[in-house]
Amino acid sequence: MGINERKKREKEQRKTQIIKAGEKLFLKKGLGNTTMDEIAKSCELSKGTLYLYFRSKEELYLTIMLKAMNILYEMMKEKSEKAPVPPEKFRAIGEAYLEYYKKYPHYFNIITRFVDHSLLADRAEIKEVLGEIFKANNKVWELITRIIVEGIKKGFFNNKVNPMELAIIMWTSSNGMIQFMDHLKNEEHHEEDGAFMPFNLNSEDMLRKTWELIMDGIIKEETRK
Amino acid sequence: MGINERKKREKEQRKTQIIKAGEKLFLKKGLGNTTMDEIAKSCELSKGTLYLYFRSKEELYLTIMLKAMNILYEMMKEKSEKAPVPPEKFRAIGEAYLEYYKKYPHYFNIITRFVDHSLLADRAEIKEVLGEIFKANNKVWELITRIIVEGIKKGFFNNKVNPMELAIIMWTSSNGMIQFMDHLKNEEHHEEDGAFMPFNLNSEDMLRKTWELIMDGIIKEETRK
Amino acid sequence: MGINERKKREKEQRKTQIIKAGEKLFLKKGLGNTTMDEIAKSCELSKGTLYLYFRSKEELYLTIMLKAMNILYEMMKEKSEKAPVPPEKFRAIGEAYLEYYKKYPHYFNIITRFVDHSLLADRAEIKEVLGEIFKANNKVWELITRIIVEGIKKGFFNNKVNPMELAIIMWTSSNGMIQFMDHLKNEEHHEEDGAFMPFNLNSEDMLRKTWELIMDGIIKEETRK
Amino acid sequence: MGINERKKREKEQRKTQIIKAGEKLFLKKGLGNTTMDEIAKSCELSKGTLYLYFRSKEELYLTIMLKAMNILYEMMKEKSEKAPVPPEKFRAIGEAYLEYYKKYPHYFNIITRFVDHSLLADRAEIKEVLGEIFKANNKVWELITRIIVEGIKKGFFNNKVNPMELAIIMWTSSNGMIQFMDHLKNEEHHEEDGAFMPFNLNSEDMLRKTWELIMDGIIKEETRK
DNA sequence: AATGAATGAGAGTTCATTCAT
DNA sequence: AATGAATGAACTCTCATTCAT
């Protein structure tokens, strides 16, 4: 039993090892430009071993995505549950998002990177993981939307905007911002082309400002602190 | 002359043919998953012919990106110049953006899709086109930022937010939203997984609502109509 | 008639134009690495036009080879006929060879470059030209051998070596030397690798020394000047 | 250990297998006309496998060249060291050369075949092997030249010719001869074209005669046996 | 369980040749 | 006669996946 325990633990460790290597590489170079060879080398296992833990490159990719999604959900849930009232819960969601971004930049980007699902191989293992990802995703939406619904019900938020839509606006604006900021980071400064963009922008700052603008529009004047 | 004219026109047509096929496929499958064979088949030319018009797959891709960027700029410029005052100019930018999205859904998505430039081949032709893309991109930023600067100077906009930052928020929120909506469209309905997302959202609607929220935060009360 | 004359002349000119461009490029880059595009560009004609004058790239190549061979023969013949006695005729052959090398370095190299005939396409036009090349080649051999035969008969040369064999030794030694010297020229000096070879060798000098050694072995002592 | 040993041996075998197939094909058809597909088929491995052992076709080619050069050097060194005095050492070089030619006709031809280095891809692996080839080549030159220098110093050779030049004459004459003889072999007999060349020449014979002529010119009368 | 050598389908690209104009 | 756009077969090289050990 002790032995079985240890073996199980070791197996889990290997899986984590692979996932960590995959995260870093997939993020840097995308699904298509990352090779199993590179991942194997990076996690100091043989290529064959990867296939003992994941049935295909895509399954590995999606497993990472799923993990990333679940962690985000957990963080959002924990932070928002600690907040007493909807406006603060809403802010807590933002804080969780930000914290997540700072703690797991790899995960973050993998979540927002599109993988066109129609391109994924039509294999059983892919569909399995995809299904789980959808579920995880839905849990996030539900969490945010519930807070807004509650906020309106309790009179904190005006009801100009419908809760689900607001949740979407918040989510998509944040994602758009982060993608953009990352894009900027990767870019070498093309000053010779008369670059107009300021390169000293701060991601965290820009995210907060985005949320402020959105909050401004929904919190009732009389309930503001 | 007449003959030369016609030949020139035909050459231009071929190029357009290729670009059109490329747009559709690159959008659907991304740069990495689209093959020159597919593009050739799609535009009913031979693979070799593609290389008469573009020196590499990447050049074709970037050429499309550049074209897309330039058209967006032209539309924004035209619409915003017709508007008399900054708030309306700002709205005009949004309208142009929306119109562009509806008119050229392919182009739109190619613009916002990231291609990590560090992954592009280090070839002369690539750098050439990349340089032009940067220039076109900068022109868009300049256009938007100028409007905001003017709006603040003339007292229409409050100056809580700095112009460039506001331009970025508007741009990134819009992109995030559109990406998300497209993502939704591509997805097969995973109702069996208890999907939470409503699938009857309307892109145009969601975009407008996003902008309203942003505008709400910047237009001074006393200048609103 | 005048018109026909002119047309013929023009046609001949075009052919010469193409051959000149081909010579330069084939020599520099070999048959396999030279493209018809390059040749066309170099002689300022269109690619299609080349095929009006030569049925294939190989035919062009072999035509050049044939021309090169004929010119060499003419030069050898002329020079050797002017010389009165076999030893001087033999030397004249060497001089002609040297002069040819200096006057037509392109031609020279094309002659000695191997084209494995078994690789040439099994086409009528190829066989045609190949046959002519063999004939021209044989004429050269005959010329040299005759001189040696005559030299022996007239008592100038000792008959240690059979005439044909001596002709071959002279020919192959010269070719080996020239190939080697050209090889050296093309090479960048790899001094960092402790290059041992002196790079100030002179082709003409080395050729003369080769012939001297050979002549030393065949001219009878008593007939030397 | 035993297992690792065996695996190592097998890997070495595969490499040898590939090299053997490459030799045969490169020789017959040259670098440019030989395809990796053919090599793969010939050694009964898959195309992909070739790339596990060599980073590119050119690396394979140059590796063969290097090996060929090193073997020649070893044979020359061994034979010449066994000979007591310079004239016999010089002859030993010739014998080694001949033996090499008979034992490794493939290698021999690959050595003397020109590959214009400026045509080789500008890649790290190519430069690596090229550097080694230069070193090996230099060792051969050094070996021959030293013998001649010693021969002059010890009074065996007259000093009409400078040692390096003589080494070059010997080397190039031999190469020219062998190339020519091989050329002849490949040729189908074009008797219908009145071929003048005798086709019963013997390579070994011709080589020996070439060297005799050269030796005749350099060995002092009084030291001849 | 772990390895890594082997596979082979398929990618982007080149180029001799053809042919409508 | 001259063009040059179009072709498509062939090339080198890559890489996810398999499988004997």
Side-chain angles (χ1 to χ4, degrees):
Chain A
M1 282 144 276
I3 288 183
N4 278 350
E5 281 297 312
R6 201 205 56 212
K7 286 209 171 176
K8 219 173 192 174
R9 225 175 32 243
E10 279 178 0
K11 243 185 128 170
E12 216 46 56
Q13 268 176 21
R14 288 258 182 288
K15 210 161 178 170
T16 308
Q17 231 175 312
I18 297 171
I19 285 181
K20 265 197 180 163
E23 275 160 36
K24 214 175 30 182
L25 288 163
F26 283 139
L27 172 65
K28 199 156 70 186
K29 320 173 58 174
L31 173 61
N33 290 304
T34 303
T35 72
M36 289 301 259
D37 264 303
E38 288 170 319
I39 296 174
K41 206 157 285 170
S42 165
C43 65
E44 293 177 305
L45 288 169
S46 83
K47 205 169 20 166
T49 306
L50 302 192
Y51 284 86
L52 292 177
Y53 292 89
F54 299 94
R55 275 161 294 181
S56 67
K57 188 168 86 156
E58 287 172 346
E59 192 193 0
L60 170 56
Y61 187 84
L62 291 178
T63 302
I64 291 171
M65 209 169 169
L66 175 59
K67 194 181 159 198
M69 196 72 90
N70 278 328
I71 290 181
L72 175 60
Y73 172 71
E74 291 305 332
M75 284 178 72
M76 283 186 167
K77 192 174 165 222
E78 200 190 317
K79 283 234 164 190
S80 68
E81 279 177 348
K82 280 187 190 150
V85 286
E88 307 210 354
K89 277 182 196 288
F90 197 80
R91 262 192 200 97
I93 292 285
E95 288 307 316
Y97 189 94
L98 199 57
E99 195 180 316
Y100 179 74
Y101 171 56
K102 293 199 302 202
K103 202 163 170 187
Y104 308 104
H106 290 354
Y107 285 174
F108 183 89
N109 280 278
I110 281 170
I111 281 183
T112 52
R113 261 239 240 289
F114 280 115
V115 186
D116 194 337
H117 305 161
S118 64
L119 291 184
L120 294 173
D122 193 16
R123 304 235 235 123
E125 89 255 14
I126 302 298
K127 288 192 170 166
E128 253 170 56
V129 195
L130 262 184
E132 291 193 69
I133 288 177
F134 282 118
K135 275 187 208 150
N137 194 21
N138 283 333
K139 286 199 310 197
V140 172
W141 287 114
E142 224 174 323
L143 182 67
I144 305 180
T145 313
R146 275 212 185 125
I147 291 170
I148 302 170
V149 170
E150 195 194 339
I152 296 173
K153 218 187 278 172
K154 294 196 176 164
F156 289 97
F157 300 158
N158 63 45
N159 54 5
K160 281 189 203 161
V161 196
N162 119 348
M164 171 57 88
E165 285 174 358
L166 186 54
I168 293 174
I169 290 173
M170 187 196 168
W171 174 258
T172 55
S173 300
S174 307
N175 287 347
M177 178 59 74
I178 297 219
Q179 272 192 23
F180 177 80
M181 297 303 291
D182 279 345
H183 195 193
L184 237 52
K185 255 188 251 162
N186 288 332
E187 216 134 279
E188 303 131 23
H189 296 223
H190 281 254
E191 300 189 30
E192 70 277 15
D193 301 319
F196 181 77
M197 289 291 309
F199 289 102
N200 50 2
L201 292 171
N202 172 282
S203 308
E204 194 174 334
D205 228 54
M206 289 306 293
L207 262 181
R208 283 192 200 285
K209 279 173 182 161
T210 305
W211 292 329
E212 261 166 49
L213 267 180
I214 294 172
M215 294 288 279
D216 268 11
I218 62 161
I219 297 196
K220 280 191 189 164
E221 286 296 329
E222 65 271 22
T223 68
R224 295 193 191 189
K225 294 194 194 174
Chain B
M1 262 158 283
I3 286 183
N4 278 351
E5 281 298 312
R6 203 207 53 213
K7 283 211 169 174
K8 222 174 191 171
R9 223 173 37 240
E10 278 179 2
K11 247 189 124 166
E12 217 45 57
Q13 267 176 23
R14 286 265 179 282
K15 208 162 179 170
T16 307
Q17 225 177 314
I18 297 171
I19 284 180
K20 266 197 181 162
E23 274 162 35
K24 215 176 29 183
L25 287 163
F26 282 138
L27 173 66
K28 198 156 71 185
K29 322 175 60 174
L31 173 60
N33 290 302
T34 304
T35 72
M36 289 302 258
D37 265 303
E38 288 169 322
I39 296 174
K41 209 155 284 171
S42 162
C43 63
E44 293 178 305
L45 288 168
S46 83
K47 200 165 30 162
T49 305
L50 303 192
Y51 285 86
L52 290 178
Y53 293 88
F54 300 93
R55 276 162 294 181
S56 66
K57 187 169 84 157
E58 288 174 346
E59 193 193 1
L60 170 56
Y61 186 84
L62 292 178
T63 302
I64 291 171
M65 209 169 168
L66 176 59
K67 194 179 159 199
M69 195 73 88
N70 278 328
I71 291 181
L72 175 59
Y73 172 71
E74 290 307 330
M75 285 177 71
M76 284 187 167
K77 192 175 164 218
E78 201 191 316
K79 282 234 164 189
S80 67
E81 278 176 350
K82 278 186 192 149
V85 286
E88 307 210 352
K89 276 181 196 290
F90 196 81
R91 260 192 202 98
I93 291 285
E95 288 307 317
Y97 189 94
L98 199 57
E99 194 180 316
Y100 179 74
Y101 171 58
K102 294 199 303 203
K103 202 162 169 189
Y104 308 104
H106 289 356
Y107 285 174
F108 184 90
N109 280 278
I110 279 170
I111 280 184
T112 53
R113 259 241 239 291
F114 281 115
V115 185
D116 193 339
H117 304 163
S118 65
L119 293 182
L120 293 174
D122 193 17
R123 302 234 236 126
E125 90 253 14
I126 302 298
K127 289 190 172 170
E128 252 172 57
V129 194
L130 263 184
E132 291 193 69
I133 289 178
F134 280 118
K135 275 187 210 150
N137 194 21
N138 283 332
K139 287 199 310 196
V140 171
W141 287 112
E142 222 174 324
L143 182 69
I144 306 182
T145 312
R146 277 216 184 124
I147 291 170
I148 302 172
V149 170
E150 194 195 340
I152 295 174
K153 220 186 278 173
K154 294 194 177 164
F156 288 98
F157 300 158
N158 63 45
N159 53 7
K160 280 189 204 160
V161 197
N162 117 349
M164 171 57 87
E165 285 175 359
L166 186 55
I168 293 175
I169 290 173
M170 187 196 169
W171 175 259
T172 56
S173 300
S174 307
N175 288 347
M177 177 59 75
I178 297 217
Q179 272 192 23
F180 178 80
M181 298 302 292
D182 279 346
H183 196 191
L184 237 53
K185 256 188 244 162
N186 288 333
E187 215 133 281
E188 303 129 24
H189 296 228
H190 281 254
E191 299 189 33
E192 71 277 13
D193 301 317
F196 181 77
M197 289 291 310
F199 289 101
N200 50 1
L201 291 172
N202 173 280
S203 307
E204 192 174 334
D205 229 52
M206 290 304 294
L207 261 181
R208 283 192 199 283
K209 279 175 181 159
T210 304
W211 293 328
E212 262 166 47
L213 266 180
I214 292 171
M215 293 287 279
D216 269 10
I218 61 161
I219 297 197
K220 278 192 190 165
E221 285 298 330
E222 65 269 23
T223 68
R224 295 196 191 184
K225 296 193 195 177
Chain C
M1 279 145 275
I3 286 182
N4 277 352
E5 281 298 312
R6 201 205 57 211
K7 285 210 170 176
K8 220 173 191 173
R9 224 175 34 242
E10 279 179 0
K11 242 187 129 169
E12 217 46 56
Q13 268 177 21
R14 288 259 182 287
K15 209 162 178 169
T16 307
Q17 231 176 313
I18 296 171
I19 284 180
K20 266 198 180 163
E23 275 162 35
K24 214 175 30 179
L25 288 163
F26 283 139
L27 172 64
K28 200 157 69 185
K29 321 174 58 173
L31 173 60
N33 290 304
T34 304
T35 70
M36 289 301 259
D37 264 303
E38 288 169 320
I39 297 173
K41 207 157 284 171
S42 165
C43 64
E44 293 177 307
L45 287 168
S46 84
K47 205 169 17 167
T49 305
L50 303 192
Y51 284 86
L52 291 177
Y53 292 89
F54 300 94
R55 275 161 293 180
S56 67
K57 187 168 86 157
E58 289 171 345
E59 192 192 359
L60 170 55
Y61 186 85
L62 291 178
T63 302
I64 291 170
M65 211 170 167
L66 175 59
K67 194 183 160 198
M69 196 72 89
N70 278 329
I71 290 182
L72 175 60
Y73 172 71
E74 291 305 332
M75 284 178 72
M76 285 186 165
K77 192 173 165 223
E78 200 190 318
K79 282 234 164 193
S80 67
E81 279 177 349
K82 281 188 189 147
V85 287
E88 306 209 357
K89 277 181 195 290
F90 197 81
R91 263 194 199 95
I93 292 285
E95 288 306 317
Y97 188 93
L98 199 56
E99 196 180 315
Y100 179 74
Y101 170 57
K102 293 199 303 203
K103 201 162 170 189
Y104 308 104
H106 290 354
Y107 285 173
F108 184 90
N109 280 278
I110 281 170
I111 280 184
T112 52
R113 260 238 240 292
F114 280 115
V115 186
D116 194 337
H117 305 162
S118 64
L119 290 185
L120 294 174
D122 193 17
R123 305 235 235 124
E125 89 256 14
I126 303 298
K127 289 191 169 168
E128 252 171 56
V129 194
L130 262 184
E132 292 194 69
I133 289 177
F134 282 118
K135 275 188 209 148
N137 194 23
N138 283 333
K139 285 198 312 196
V140 171
W141 287 113
E142 224 173 322
L143 182 67
I144 305 180
T145 311
R146 278 214 181 123
I147 291 169
I148 301 170
V149 170
E150 194 194 339
I152 294 173
K153 220 184 280 171
K154 296 194 176 164
F156 289 97
F157 301 158
N158 63 47
N159 54 6
K160 281 188 203 160
V161 197
N162 119 348
M164 170 56 89
E165 284 174 1
L166 185 56
I168 291 175
I169 289 173
M170 188 199 169
W171 175 258
T172 56
S173 299
S174 307
N175 288 349
M177 177 59 75
I178 297 221
Q179 272 191 23
F180 178 79
M181 297 302 292
D182 279 347
H183 195 193
L184 237 52
K185 255 189 250 163
N186 289 333
E187 216 132 279
E188 302 130 25
H189 297 225
H190 282 254
E191 300 189 29
E192 70 278 11
D193 301 319
F196 180 76
M197 289 291 309
F199 289 102
N200 49 1
L201 293 171
N202 172 281
S203 309
E204 193 173 334
D205 229 53
M206 290 304 295
L207 262 182
R208 284 193 198 283
K209 281 175 180 160
T210 305
W211 293 330
E212 264 166 46
L213 267 180
I214 294 171
M215 295 287 279
D216 268 10
I218 62 161
I219 297 197
K220 278 193 190 163
E221 286 297 329
E222 65 271 22
T223 69
R224 295 198 191 186
K225 296 195 192 175
Chain D
M1 264 160 280
I3 288 183
N4 277 351
E5 282 299 311
R6 203 206 51 215
K7 286 211 166 175
K8 223 173 191 172
R9 226 176 31 243
E10 279 179 1
K11 249 189 123 166
E12 217 46 58
Q13 269 177 20
R14 286 265 179 284
K15 209 161 178 170
T16 308
Q17 226 176 316
I18 297 171
I19 284 180
K20 267 196 179 162
E23 274 162 35
K24 215 176 26 184
L25 288 163
F26 282 139
L27 174 64
K28 199 158 69 186
K29 322 175 58 174
L31 173 60
N33 289 304
T34 304
T35 73
M36 288 302 258
D37 265 304
E38 287 170 321
I39 297 174
K41 209 156 284 173
S42 163
C43 62
E44 292 178 305
L45 287 169
S46 83
K47 199 171 22 169
T49 305
L50 303 192
Y51 285 87
L52 289 179
Y53 292 88
F54 299 94
R55 277 162 293 181
S56 66
K57 186 168 83 157
E58 288 173 346
E59 192 192 2
L60 171 56
Y61 186 84
L62 292 179
T63 300
I64 291 171
M65 210 169 168
L66 176 59
K67 195 181 159 196
M69 196 73 90
N70 278 329
I71 290 181
L72 174 60
Y73 172 71
E74 290 306 330
M75 285 177 72
M76 285 187 165
K77 193 175 165 222
E78 201 190 316
K79 284 233 164 193
S80 67
E81 278 176 350
K82 280 186 190 148
V85 286
E88 309 210 353
K89 277 180 196 290
F90 197 80
R91 259 190 204 99
I93 291 285
E95 288 306 318
Y97 190 93
L98 198 57
E99 195 179 316
Y100 179 74
Y101 170 58
K102 294 199 302 203
K103 202 163 170 188
Y104 308 105
H106 290 353
Y107 284 174
F108 184 90
N109 280 279
I110 280 170
I111 280 183
T112 52
R113 258 239 240 291
F114 282 115
V115 184
D116 193 337
H117 303 165
S118 65
L119 292 182
L120 293 174
D122 192 17
R123 302 237 235 126
E125 90 253 13
I126 302 298
K127 289 191 170 168
E128 252 171 56
V129 195
L130 263 183
E132 291 193 70
I133 290 178
F134 281 118
K135 275 185 208 150
N137 194 22
N138 283 332
K139 286 198 313 196
V140 172
W141 288 112
E142 222 174 324
L143 183 67
I144 305 180
T145 311
R146 274 211 186 127
I147 291 169
I148 302 171
V149 170
E150 195 194 336
I152 295 173
K153 220 185 279 174
K154 296 195 174 163
F156 289 98
F157 301 158
N158 64 46
N159 53 6
K160 280 191 205 160
V161 196
N162 117 351
M164 171 56 88
E165 284 174 0
L166 185 56
I168 292 175
I169 289 173
M170 186 198 171
W171 175 259
T172 56
S173 299
S174 308
N175 288 348
M177 178 58 75
I178 298 218
Q179 272 191 23
F180 179 79
M181 298 301 292
D182 279 346
H183 196 190
L184 237 53
K185 255 188 248 161
N186 288 332
E187 216 134 278
E188 303 129 26
H189 297 227
H190 282 254
E191 301 188 30
E192 70 278 12
D193 302 318
F196 179 77
M197 288 292 309
F199 290 102
N200 50 1
L201 291 171
N202 173 280
S203 308
E204 194 174 334
D205 229 51
M206 290 304 294
L207 261 181
R208 281 191 201 285
K209 280 174 180 159
T210 304
W211 292 330
E212 262 166 48
L213 266 180
I214 293 171
M215 293 287 279
D216 268 9
I218 62 161
I219 298 197
K220 281 190 189 166
E221 287 298 329
E222 66 270 24
T223 69
R224 293 195 193 188
K225 298 193 190 177

